[in-house]
Amino acid sequence: PSLSLFTYRRIRSLYYSSINKSLNPIADYPIYEDKNVAHEIFIEYQSLKNEYKSFIGWRPLKTKKKHTNIIGKYHTRKSEGEEINNSIWFFGGSTMWGTGVSDSDTIPSIFNKISGQKVMNFGQLSWTSRQSLAQLITLLGDGLNPSKVIFYDGINDVNIGCRTEIKEVSVHARENVIKNSLKDNLFLKISKDIKYPIDKLIQKFRNSRYAYDCDFNEYKVNKIADHLINNWYTAYLILKAKNINFYAILQPSIFTSEAPYDYFSKKEINLLNNKRKQFNAVNRMILKKIKLKCKQDKSFCYSIIDGQDWIKTKSNIFQDFSHLSSEGNLIIARK
């Protein structure tokens, strides 16, 4: 069964590539004017490979494509007006990295076009605030210095931390994958291959790859909120010692915006309803703990920005619950 499924998926992928279409239905959403370009972007996205990297977990391999370019010593997404020293450093997950848009339409690229200020995009796919903090420490350890630093966080910390199988926070998205891959156990590898098609069937009927428990697990809600704010506070203190301004933005999502999503499938909408409970529970706690932290260090308050209500448009801009179109990235860059 595993071999059959692998062969089918491979042939299907090659077929879609041959007709210049991606396997991702998002490319046909009304958020894209040019559907052919959208499919090209997602074909490039689906072809990305990652490598293990100390302290940060993983990063994408370098690539040079029409819409997606991963370059430089730190394997960063190419930006308009890019410069690594004395520039504004942007950190975050896949929304900051620019899932579903070209290099020129990421948040840092658009920010550069609006402001004229030099930028550097250190956003990475599926990264949490803890990984951004580790990357920041590495960059400073290499003797580099920004003019300002922006952390754009919240969604990955919640979406990953609230998974039922996650028992301890802090954690990143691929802890179990890396842990199991390092086990020198032939039986484990064979059983994993055999189990794969069964897992896919379970996901299909479950409507989601993961189950979540933050809507009733108060201990985990507290831990996720604590780690996010303490990661921000650690970055703030490090940069304050170097007289560099730091800004932490609690990022918006489809749950905190006014943008429509009636073009989503019924399955996606059902998934949103489940995720909404997780984000409501954790974000309430984050805001509560921010107030407590501000009482301890008032100057830290000026570094925290609640961006949850930034998206007030009635236009179609969401790819899913978090990723934005180029128009959505423009809204964030302006803010």
Side-chain angles (χ1 to χ4, degrees):
S2 299
L3 184 59
S4 299
L5 183 61
F6 172 81
T7 304
Y8 164 73
R9 285 162 60 88
R10 184 64 179 158
I11 292 171
R12 185 166 173 253
S13 178
L14 290 171
Y15 167 73
Y16 275 93
S17 295
S18 69
I19 59 173
N20 201 32
K21 284 179 73 70
S22 70
L23 297 173
N24 200 323
I26 293 173
D28 291 317
Y29 279 2
I31 63 176
Y32 293 106
E33 290 184 11
D34 192 326
K35 301 294 190 287
N36 290 328
V37 170
H39 279 288
E40 288 176 1
I41 289 170
F42 278 105
I43 287 171
E44 293 178 1
Y45 175 75
Q46 288 158 194
S47 70
L48 293 175
K49 305 295 182 185
N50 292 289
E51 65 175 8
Y52 170 77
K53 183 64 180 172
S54 296
F55 308 116
I56 56 175
W58 68 89
R59 65 183 184 185
L61 294 174
K62 291 182 184 179
T63 188
K64 186 177 182 181
K65 298 186 182 295
K66 184 177 179 181
H67 306 284
T68 311
N69 291 276
I70 310 297
I71 61 172
K73 177 180 177 181
Y74 302 101
H75 295 214
T76 52
R77 185 83 184 266
K78 182 174 171 51
S79 298
E80 301 283 328
E82 173 176 291
E83 194 167 299
I84 198 162
N85 257 319
N86 301 314
S87 60
I88 301 178
W89 291 358
F90 291 81
F91 292 83
S94 50
T95 303
M96 183 60 71
W97 180 86
T99 294
V101 299
S102 64
D103 293 338
S104 60
D105 285 325
T106 64
I107 293 169
S109 285
I110 297 174
F111 182 91
N112 166 260
K113 285 182 272 189
I114 293 172
S115 68
Q117 298 182 66
K118 296 297 182 181
V119 300
M120 200 70 195
N121 187 355
F122 289 105
Q124 291 288 8
L125 300 171
S126 300
W127 272 23
T128 64
S129 59
R130 179 64 181 82
Q131 288 167 286
S132 292
L133 175 59
Q135 180 68 87
L136 173 64
I137 292 170
T138 296
L139 294 165
L140 297 176
D142 283 345
L144 300 169
N145 284 293
S147 58
K148 298 179 181 70
V149 171
I150 295 171
F151 273 36
Y152 186 76
D153 290 314
I155 283 180
N156 283 346
D157 290 70
V158 177
N159 195 43
I160 295 166
C162 286
R163 293 178 190 171
T164 304
E165 79 271 18
I166 301 300
K167 305 303 179 186
E168 279 300 321
V169 180
S170 148
V171 67
H172 63 56
R174 300 178 188 174
E175 179 180 284
N176 289 334
V177 173
I178 294 172
K179 193 183 293 182
N180 289 332
S181 297
L182 291 172
K183 290 179 181 177
D184 188 17
N185 188 322
L186 181 61
F187 175 76
L188 179 67
K189 292 175 182 176
I190 293 172
S191 62
K192 183 181 175 184
D193 287 338
I194 294 171
K195 190 168 160 285
Y196 177 76
I198 299 169
D199 287 340
K200 294 300 287 184
L201 281 172
I202 292 171
Q203 289 168 24
K204 184 176 178 63
F205 288 107
R206 197 194 254 170
N207 278 338
S208 171
R209 185 177 176 186
Y210 302 106
Y212 301 91
D213 62 2
C214 280
D215 49 330
F216 57 85
N217 189 336
E218 191 172 348
Y219 167 79
K220 187 181 282 189
V221 168
N222 271 282
K223 292 290 284 184
I224 293 169
D226 280 338
H227 274 273
L228 175 63
I229 294 165
N230 287 329
N231 289 338
W232 284 350
Y233 191 57
T234 302
Y236 160 78
L237 291 175
I238 292 170
L239 293 166
K240 182 182 179 182
K242 296 173 72 66
N243 293 315
I244 297 169
N245 287 334
F246 169 76
Y247 302 96
I249 300 169
L250 185 58
Q251 68 187 106
S253 70
I254 205 165
F255 312 120
T256 61
S257 79
E258 298 177 6
Y261 53 90
D262 53 351
Y263 48 92
F264 284 17
S265 68
K266 185 177 179 181
K267 177 181 176 181
E268 289 172 305
I269 291 173
N270 288 337
L271 179 59
L272 285 181
N273 292 335
N274 184 20
K275 286 193 174 184
R276 186 188 301 274
K277 298 174 186 176
Q278 318 307 316
F279 279 88
N280 286 346
V282 181
N283 284 355
R284 279 196 299 267
M285 186 61 68
I286 290 170
L287 294 175
K288 181 179 178 181
K289 288 182 179 289
I290 285 172
K291 289 181 180 179
L292 293 174
K293 199 73 174 178
C294 285
K295 289 180 180 178
Q296 298 171 17
D297 188 338
K298 291 183 179 179
S299 63
F300 179 50
C301 277
Y302 296 108
S303 290
I304 301 176
I305 300 165
D306 184 1
Q308 292 183 94
D309 65 348
W310 278 6
I311 300 176
K312 298 183 181 298
T313 181
K314 297 293 185 180
S315 299
N316 299 323
I317 61 167
F318 276 98
Q319 302 174 34
D320 48 36
F321 73 98
S322 61
H323 300 116
L324 300 166
S325 65
S326 55
E327 183 184 345
N329 287 341
L330 174 61
I331 293 170
I332 302 303
R334 282 175 173 162
K335 287 288 185 179

